[in-house]
Amino acid sequence: MPGRSDEGSLASRGVSAIKRGARVLARPVLWEARTEQGFRYGQKLQPASNGRPFPSNAEPNPLLSYFDAHTEGPGIWKFRHYFEIYHRHFAKFVGQEVNVVEIGVYSGGSLNMWKEYFGERSHIHGVDIQEACRAYEDDRVSIHIGDQADPEFWRRFRAAVPDVDIVVDDGGHLVHQQVASLEALLPHLRPGGVYMCEDVGGIHNRFQAYVSGLSRNLASSFDATGFNQVVHSVHHYPFAIVIERQPDRVEGFPEGRHGTQWEPFLDGLHRAAWDG
């Protein structure tokens, strides 16, 4: 027959279990509240200082230079700030043997821009639903006609183009098209590859919401998950989202501590605060 100490221990464990359960149930509500809090703070955010900016890289952006010099011929339609994003994430591929996929050929001008930027070892794959876009095909440009929202089209595309390094989604801009393209191509990027989706705008954009949910998997575990084997990082820019592929296999996220002197006042708090 259990004694009073055993009964007290059982009651204590029961209370602890109820508290843990309550915390788990409350997490989605608290997460939504913090999401809204961050959104509201961002709406009223203003710079506290207008001091001298840090000197930027003085080297010209070759993509922006190409765009500014392109005044005749096949059209290129881009937000100007995209060129800084392109160069930041794509520069490592310049001069390499690289396969670039651009969804949304339109007037064809950007196909030549990519050829010029990446160099003679690059091959550009344009994807569009309009048959007329086949006119832009040449020895270094392949045109694939199909619906970017159709998984069967992407199955055929992956069979024809098994190695992809860069994807630029400038296609139909509808959320179901963007999600279908990302889910079809992101797992098939080569290690170190880059996926960029353009023209993601509006405070209630559902593709941005999709990517925000996707990003939660980055730090879901101290162990390396299947998601961590694919995704290295997710970057949000004005009207653009960039996802970078892991360059190498991830075994885990080990911590490192160096030094011999440690203050005691943070003991036990690090893990407790991990879930926010």
Side-chain angles (χ1 to χ4, degrees), residues 57-71:
N57 189 342
E59 295 182 5
N61 182 327
L63 283 164
L64 185 58
S65 298
Y66 182 99
F67 180 68
D68 286 339
H70 185 79
T71 57

Side-chain angles (χ1 to χ4, degrees), residues 61-67 69-70 76 93-96 98 100 109-124 138 140-141:
N61 182 327
L63 283 164
L64 185 58
S65 298
Y66 182 99
F67 180 68
H70 185 79
I76 309 172
F93 297 101
V94 171
Q96 305 298 315
V98 59
V100 181
S110 55
L111 299 173
N112 289 327
M113 179 181 73
W114 299 129
K115 286 168 59 178
E116 176 75 17
Y117 177 67
F118 290 110
E120 294 183 357
R121 300 176 68 193
S122 64
H123 194 91
I124 316 302
D138 62 28
R140 283 176 48 214
V141 174

Side-chain angles (χ1 to χ4, degrees), residues 69 99 181 186 191 230 269:
N99 284 317
S181 300
L186 182 61
V230 177
L269 294 180

Side-chain angles (χ1 to χ4, degrees), residues 34-47:
R34 288 298 189 192
T35 301
E36 184 65 17
Q37 181 185 6
F39 171 70
R40 297 299 178 192
Y41 172 73
Q43 282 197 312
K44 60 184 181 182
L45 183 63
Q46 297 290 333

Side-chain angles (χ1 to χ4, degrees), residues 42-105:
Q43 282 197 312
K44 60 184 181 182
L45 183 63
Q46 297 290 333
S49 171
N50 291 313
R52 186 180 65 179
F54 193 83
S56 61
N57 189 342
E59 295 182 5
N61 182 327
L63 283 164
L64 185 58
S65 298
Y66 182 99
F67 180 68
D68 286 339
H70 185 79
T71 57
E72 296 182 353
I76 309 172
W77 190 0
K78 301 287 186 182
F79 282 106
R80 289 186 66 84
H81 73 279
Y82 283 178
F83 295 97
E84 186 271 332
I85 302 171
Y86 294 149
H87 195 43
R88 174 180 295 183
H89 292 279
F90 298 166
K92 65 182 181 181
F93 297 101
V94 171
Q96 305 298 315
E97 186 175 338
V98 59
N99 284 317
V100 181
V101 177
E102 182 169 49
I103 305 170
V105 172

Side-chain angles (χ1 to χ4, degrees), residues 3 8 13 52 59 63 77 92 119-120 144 151 159 177 180-181 188 196 212 222 231 241 248 251:
R13 288 200 296 270
R52 186 180 65 179
E59 295 182 5
L63 283 164
W77 190 0
K92 65 182 181 181
E120 294 183 357
H144 307 261
Q177 297 170 322
S181 300
H188 296 276
M196 179 172 176
S212 294
F222 287 105
V231 176
I241 290 169
D248 299 299
E251 300 298 336

Side-chain angles (χ1 to χ4, degrees), residues 139-196:
D139 61 331
R140 283 176 48 214
V141 174
S142 299
I143 300 298
H144 307 261
I145 303 300
D147 181 355
Q148 73 171 114
D150 180 7
E152 180 58 25
F153 165 73
W154 288 121
R155 188 194 64 77
R156 295 194 303 271
F157 178 88
R158 291 194 305 266
V161 187
D163 294 324
V164 173
D165 299 285
I166 295 171
V167 177
V168 178
D169 183 354
D170 188 21
H173 307 314
L174 299 179
V175 64
H176 72 282
Q177 297 170 322
Q178 294 165 328
V179 169
S181 300
L182 184 147
E183 292 186 352
L185 294 177
L186 182 61
H188 296 276
L189 282 180
R190 286 201 287 196
V194 179
Y195 193 104
M196 179 172 176

